[in-house]
Amino acid sequence: MKDKIIVTGGCGYIGSHTVITLIHHNYEVVIIDDLSNSSPQILDRIESISGVRPHFEQVDLKSFEATQAVFKTHKDAKAVIHFAAHKAVAESIQNPLMYYQNNLFSLLNVLKAQQENSINHLIFSSSATVYGNPSKMPITEDAPTQRSSSPYGNTKKIAEEILEDFTNSQSEISVISLRYFNPIGAHASGQIGEFPSGIPNNLMPYITQTAAGIREKLMVFGNDYPTKDGTPIRDYIHVVDLAEAHLKALERLLDASATSSLEVFNLGTGNGFSVLEMIKAFEAVSGRPLNYEITDRRPGDVPEMFASTTLAKNVLKWEASRNLKDMIQSSWTWEQNLRSELK
Ligand code: UFG
């Protein structure tokens, strides 16, 4: 058994896939999750896929006392991967305080508890949203960060600023912040995947729920953007590729190969697809037509986002290996087979 790793939000979408990758590579995983947006059945699924049941601690990271207590219990952990956060853009616009409170207090409490227990490595879940509406494609990590159009996005930008100040003040701590583009897809087993609560905000779960008859039709938010077909372009990335990138980042921290105390990497494929291309690709993979209608733009959407993947390739030694068909096929299998069984 290799080192013990604390994974906050390990029952969530990206967290659960990363936990499986870590277990496959013999890490001992401790999941901390408040189950506010996930199900305890995920632990059974992780066990059934990997053969190992990770330790589980149901903790609300907004409480420093609770965070400190669980970190003290697991002070032999070598690193933390901090996924736990609220992530619904629209909800964050309705309820900004909930987002600032949850996403920022939990980060501050994790950092303080790491410091008190000498757990010196952290991987942080950031987002391409920190680039705002970037002027140059592909987006490189040195592109300026901008105020996001949503409180959710702003919590990620502020979190990165907190990490910068914290790592500048602390020579022992090293942090890798991973800026995700658009994660989609599901585990090949069909047992875990994205499980949005209520009406999905994001394109892929909306497409699969529409095809499954849960939603009547997909609304395409605008076809008058300055792109090839007028609909916005995004860099969709398979969640299992993302999970593998976390493993690479972890190994880099544990090997002490990081060249600065805070490193930032884009996680994308470098390929952009429009909303209409995604619909066509889904129809081809699933063999069924999708009911959709063009409507007005969604406020805050930007025309085009796709990653420069050079830094992750050269430094993390990671690049995405799964293509769009793999992503869509696995999302569709997940939607059809098993999501309905989760409570
Ligand atoms: N879209 C639709 N109809 C829908 C849902 C989405 O047309 O019902 C379109 C959007 O307008 C956008 C594209 O599909 O053009 C992708 O939208 P998503 O909501 O799936 O993804 P976003 O790029 O808007 O947001 C994602 C993450 C955020 C993150 C952001 C950063 O979900 O967490 O990327 O780039 F902040």
Side-chain angles (χ1 to χ4, degrees), residues 85-86 96 99-101 103-104 107 124 148 150-160 162:
H86 292 331
Y99 272 67
Y100 287 116
Q101 243 174 356
N103 293 5
L104 296 179
L107 174 65
F124 178 68
S148 169
S150 75
Y152 156 76
N154 221 24
T155 66
K156 294 297 179 187
K157 179 172 180 288
I158 295 168
E160 286 201 356
I162 291 171

Side-chain angles (χ1 to χ4, degrees), residues 31-49:
I31 292 179
I32 301 178
D33 203 302
D34 66 359
L35 300 178
S36 60
N37 190 26
S38 56
S39 158
Q41 286 170 271
I42 295 297
L43 296 165
D44 304 331
R45 304 270 175 100
I46 290 172
E47 185 176 6
S48 127
I49 295 167

Side-chain angles (χ1 to χ4, degrees), residues 127 129 152 182 201-203 219-221 232 234 236 298 301:
S127 166
T129 194
Y152 156 76
N182 288 63
N201 283 279
N202 296 118
L203 180 64
M219 306 308 282
V220 173
F221 299 136
R234 294 289 181 274
Y236 297 91
R298 182 171 69 177
D301 278 349

Side-chain angles (χ1 to χ4, degrees), residues 220-274:
V220 173
F221 299 136
N223 67 349
D224 57 351
Y225 285 91
T227 60
K228 50 190 162 189
D229 61 22
T231 62
I233 290 173
R234 294 289 181 274
D235 184 339
Y236 297 91
I237 172 150
H238 199 298
V239 66
V240 178
D241 277 323
L242 273 193
E244 290 169 2
H246 288 75
L247 176 72
K248 293 286 190 188
L250 177 68
E251 287 169 346
R252 182 168 173 80
L253 290 174
L254 296 178
D255 293 349
S257 327
T259 49
S260 80
S261 56
L262 173 61
E263 292 185 323
V264 172
F265 297 98
N266 287 339
L267 298 183
T269 65
N271 303 313
F273 292 97
S274 74

Side-chain angles (χ1 to χ4, degrees), residues 109-123:
N109 289 339
V110 164
L111 292 175
K112 183 82 185 139
Q114 282 192 255
Q115 192 177 28
E116 302 225 332
N117 295 287
S118 304
I119 305 173
N120 288 332
H121 303 299
L122 173 71
I123 297 173

